[in-house]
């Protein structure tokens, strides 16, 4: 299947957890590049979600990489547990991490892909010194913590700026966006330079089903 140039990372936060394996299977069939797993602790963000047991279960039912977005106060403490469960990559926030370089090096030492995440109010400039060490940058296009929020349009110039930085410093780095991505906003973020789109409600929250929703989103993105 031609996946197009833009990669899709369905976020299971909006999936129906009673049918999680089935829905992830549909996302795989529809050509998802990776599965995005949102981990929240009720401290770093005002919501709780899921932990390593879900990653462990998903590892058995899909061949896709499980990308683990850690919205938790102490990411270092949980890296081993998620690695054992089957996480293929980690997305860790710049915000609240006094030793981000150390966290990044730990993830690399575990043999996993690593991405740094910045929230809507965080400037692109904070990425300058860490960019050469990471495989991905994730620009949050909503404030983290909840699915189904409205896309924040003022993040678009920042996505362009990060694209410039990546082209100058580390060309093989993915530029991913997360939050409020749907058929309307996908073309905007792709035009700004994003090449990986996380989408939760636009994939798992549509009445038309996962496969049709992914096909529609991919067509809009490409
Ligand atoms: C928000 C999460 C997102 C969320 C996106 O904190 O990081 O991954 O699932 O959901 P939608 O696509 O509905 O905005
Ligand atoms: Zn996420």
């Amino acid at each position: 299947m031609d996946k197009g140039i833009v990669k899709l990372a369905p976020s299971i936060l909006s999936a129906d957890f009673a049918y999680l394996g089935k829905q992830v299977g549909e996302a795989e069939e529809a050509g998802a590049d990776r599965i995005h797993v949102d981990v929240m602790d009720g401290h770093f963000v005002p919501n709780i979600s899921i932990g390593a047991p879900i990653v462990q279960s998903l590892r058995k039912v899909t061949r896709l990489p499980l990308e683990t977005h850690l919205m938790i106060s102490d990411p270092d403490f949980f890296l081993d547990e998620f690695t054992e469960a089957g996480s293929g990559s980690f997305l860790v926030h710049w915000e609240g991490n006094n030793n981000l370089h150390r966290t990044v090096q730990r993830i690399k030492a575990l043999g996993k892909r690593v991405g740094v995440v910045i929230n809507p109010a965080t400037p692109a400039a904070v990425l300058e010194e860490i960019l050469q060490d990471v495989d991905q940058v994730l620009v949050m296009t909503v404030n983290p913590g909840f699915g189904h929020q409205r896309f924040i349009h003022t993040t678009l110039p920042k996505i362009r700026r990060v694209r410039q930085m990546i082209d100058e410093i580390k060309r093989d780095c993915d530029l991913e966006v997360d939050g409020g991505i749907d058929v309307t906003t996908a073309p905007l973020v792709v035009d700004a330079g994003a090449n990986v789109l996380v989408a939760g409600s636009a994939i798992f929250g549509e009445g038309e089903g996962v496969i049709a929703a992914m096909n529609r989103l991919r067509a809009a993105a490409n």
Side-chain angles (χ1 to χ4, degrees), residues 36-59:
H36 184 88
V37 181
D38 287 305
V39 179
M40 307 176 184
D41 66 354
H43 293 279
F44 186 79
V45 289
N47 195 10
I48 56 172
S49 60
I50 55 172
I54 298 286
V55 171
Q56 197 176 5
S57 295
L58 284 179
R59 192 60 289 151

Side-chain angles (χ1 to χ4, degrees), residues 65-80:
L66 300 171
E67 156 177 287
T68 308
H69 180 187
L70 296 175
M71 287 164 275
I72 60 179
S73 297
D74 190 356
D76 291 45
F77 186 79
F78 289 94
L79 293 176
D80 288 334

Side-chain angles (χ1 to χ4, degrees), residues 10-199:
S11 161
I12 60 166
L13 192 63
S14 293
D16 183 339
F17 280 78
Y19 303 97
L20 188 56
K22 179 173 175 284
Q23 295 204 325
V24 166
E26 287 169 359
E28 181 166 3
E29 195 185 325
D33 182 76
R34 54 191 83 164
I35 298 296
H36 184 88
V37 181
D38 287 305
V39 179
M40 307 176 184
D41 66 354
H43 293 279
F44 186 79
V45 289
N47 195 10
I48 56 172
S49 60
I50 55 172
I54 298 286
V55 171
Q56 197 176 5
S57 295
L58 284 179
R59 192 60 289 151
K60 296 174 198 149
V61 298
T62 180
R63 282 188 299 268
L64 294 177
L66 300 171
E67 156 177 287
T68 308
H69 180 187
L70 296 175
M71 287 164 275
I72 60 179
S73 297
D74 190 356
D76 291 45
F77 186 79
F78 289 94
L79 293 176
D80 288 334
E81 190 179 334
F82 277 99
T83 297
E84 270 166 43
S87 291
S89 61
F90 290 101
L91 293 163
V92 289
H93 277 257
W94 177 85
E95 297 82 11
N97 193 329
N98 293 328
N99 298 289
L100 182 63
H101 183 269
R102 180 186 293 153
T103 304
V104 166
Q105 299 310 322
R106 281 195 176 150
I107 295 169
K108 287 162 78 118
L110 288 166
K112 301 299 165 190
R113 277 174 62 88
V114 57
V116 167
V117 189
I118 52 173
N119 281 342
T122 303
V126 305
L127 299 168
E128 217 168 295
E129 306 302 333
I130 198 70
L131 194 51
Q132 57 211 331
D133 289 315
V134 300
D135 305 295
Q136 291 173 235
V137 168
L138 173 57
V139 174
M140 290 304 300
T141 41
V142 298
N143 288 297
F146 301 91
H148 217 288
Q149 298 184 81
R150 197 168 291 187
F151 180 83
I152 298 172
H153 282 261
T154 50
T155 58
L156 285 169
K158 180 165 62 177
I159 297 167
R160 287 184 201 281
R161 172 81 189 107
V162 176
R163 168 48 64 196
Q164 265 177 9
M165 292 169 76
I166 287 175
D167 287 349
E168 280 163 22
I169 300 172
K170 192 159 200 275
R171 290 196 74 87
D172 58 347
C173 184
D174 275 336
L175 174 42
E176 189 168 23
V177 289
D178 184 5
I181 303 300
D182 58 20
V183 291
T184 308
T185 55
L188 307 178
V189 291
V190 171
D191 184 58
N195 73 308
V196 186
L197 312 187
V198 177

